[in-house]
Amino acid sequence: MSEKDKLDINNLPTHIAIIMDGNGRWAEEKGQDRLFGHLNGVESVRDIVEGAAEIGIQYLTLYAFSTENWDRPQEEVTGLMELLIDTIKKEVPTLNKNNIRLNVIGDTDMLPKGAQNELFEAIEQTAPNTGLNLIMALSYSSRWEIIHAAQRIANDAKNGKISPEEINQDRFKEYLTTSRFPDPELMIRTSGEFRISNFLLYQLAYTELYFTPTLWPDFRKENLYLAIQDYQQRERRFGKTGKQINTIKI
Ligand code: IPE
Ligand code: IPE
Ligand code: MG
């Protein structure tokens, strides 16, 4: 029985978020340049997007580049940016074939102008698709997102568009870059690091976290399905007692 067949299809997460980590170490282990790791990481992205679409996941957020990653050596930043944008552009026909809609979250103003244009073109070309929503977190950081939201709310308050009393969870959400997406039920981080690294701090409030030592370029569909199986064993209590949760289920 494959790992896919072991999944409970009635208890799949709607939204999975992944911190794709470990490309550099994967390459270094092989005596290769870090960019070689990123190149191989793209293969994992393809496989995971396909794997998620196959089982009917509706939202998949991939952390591809953080705002802090801009501080890496210039050579790595340039190589990685080129790879990301080039891949996105090349994948558009496959995304369309599989009814996948591309979305981006992050401070895209920081990207080179040419890259921004390519990115927005790809987003536009896949906009009519109704299957999996692939959300690339590019030049993303959660503190940037929250502060940006606070600035916009303050501006709207100043201009009389919103009053402070109206600010609740629903209204606040509208100001986040993830406003169109539900919170993830499952967050996976590869490469054995146990931290969030400025990823979806607000949205992960009740998300189940899954950490695996597997380095991103080695992460494949089967690994994704194992993570989902693990998620399916969890009892999500949202502050209630286990007994309350089980009574509601009956
Ligand atoms: C993840 O791999 C990809 C990005 C952060 C862009 P890393 O490049 O962080 O690889 P490690 O963590 O150094 O091995
Ligand atoms: C997080 O990985 C960002 C991405 C995967 C894009 P990092 O490798 O940048 O995180 P830290 O520095 O180990 O926390
Ligand atoms: Mg890393």
Side-chain angles (χ1 to χ4, degrees), residues 46-214:
R46 283 204 189 95
D47 201 59
I48 294 312
V49 170
E50 193 182 285
E54 254 174 51
I55 57 169
I57 299 296
Q58 291 174 47
Y59 301 88
L60 176 68
T61 300
L62 300 178
Y63 201 7
F65 195 88
S66 72
T67 51
E68 288 78 15
N69 289 151
W70 288 112
D71 295 331
R72 290 192 178 190
Q74 195 50 47
E75 199 182 86
E76 183 172 346
V77 170
T78 314
L80 193 49
M81 264 307 138
E82 277 172 13
L83 178 67
L84 283 167
I85 302 301
D86 203 46
T87 306
I88 288 173
K89 203 176 146 186
K90 280 200 190 122
E91 290 298 310
V92 169
T94 314
L95 295 176
N96 282 336
K97 198 176 106 218
N98 296 311
N99 197 21
I100 299 170
R101 181 176 178 180
L102 178 71
N103 306 268
V104 70
I105 55 170
D107 189 2
T108 47
D109 288 348
M110 284 183 78
L111 299 173
K113 199 80 201 131
Q116 287 183 36
N117 293 340
E118 309 250 39
L119 187 62
F120 291 125
E121 202 176 310
I123 289 172
E124 218 175 276
Q125 285 169 345
T126 65
N129 297 339
T130 53
L132 172 73
N133 266 284
L134 172 62
I135 305 149
M136 297 300 292
L138 258 185
S139 186
Y140 174 87
S141 95
S142 204
R143 288 188 176 175
W144 163 81
E145 178 185 37
I146 293 167
I147 288 165
H148 191 63
Q151 284 175 349
R152 289 175 50 227
I153 293 176
N155 247 316
D156 282 356
K158 196 171 79 183
N159 298 330
K161 285 193 196 147
I162 191 169
S163 68
E165 299 73 36
E166 276 177 84
I167 302 170
N168 55 25
Q169 290 194 26
D170 288 339
R171 294 304 302 272
F172 187 74
K173 192 182 164 166
E174 291 169 17
Y175 290 85
L176 295 172
T177 56
T178 52
S179 58
R180 291 186 296 116
F181 319 122
D183 290 343
E185 292 96 336
L186 172 63
M187 196 287 284
I188 300 168
R189 183 172 190 150
T190 59
S191 89
E193 306 296 350
F194 296 94
R195 55 177 172 267
I196 305 293
S197 302
N198 219 346
F199 186 46
L200 303 175
L201 300 179
Y202 185 83
Q203 296 84 344
L204 294 180
Y206 270 105
T207 302
E208 296 297 328
L209 308 181
Y210 179 87
F211 298 95
T212 168
T214 305

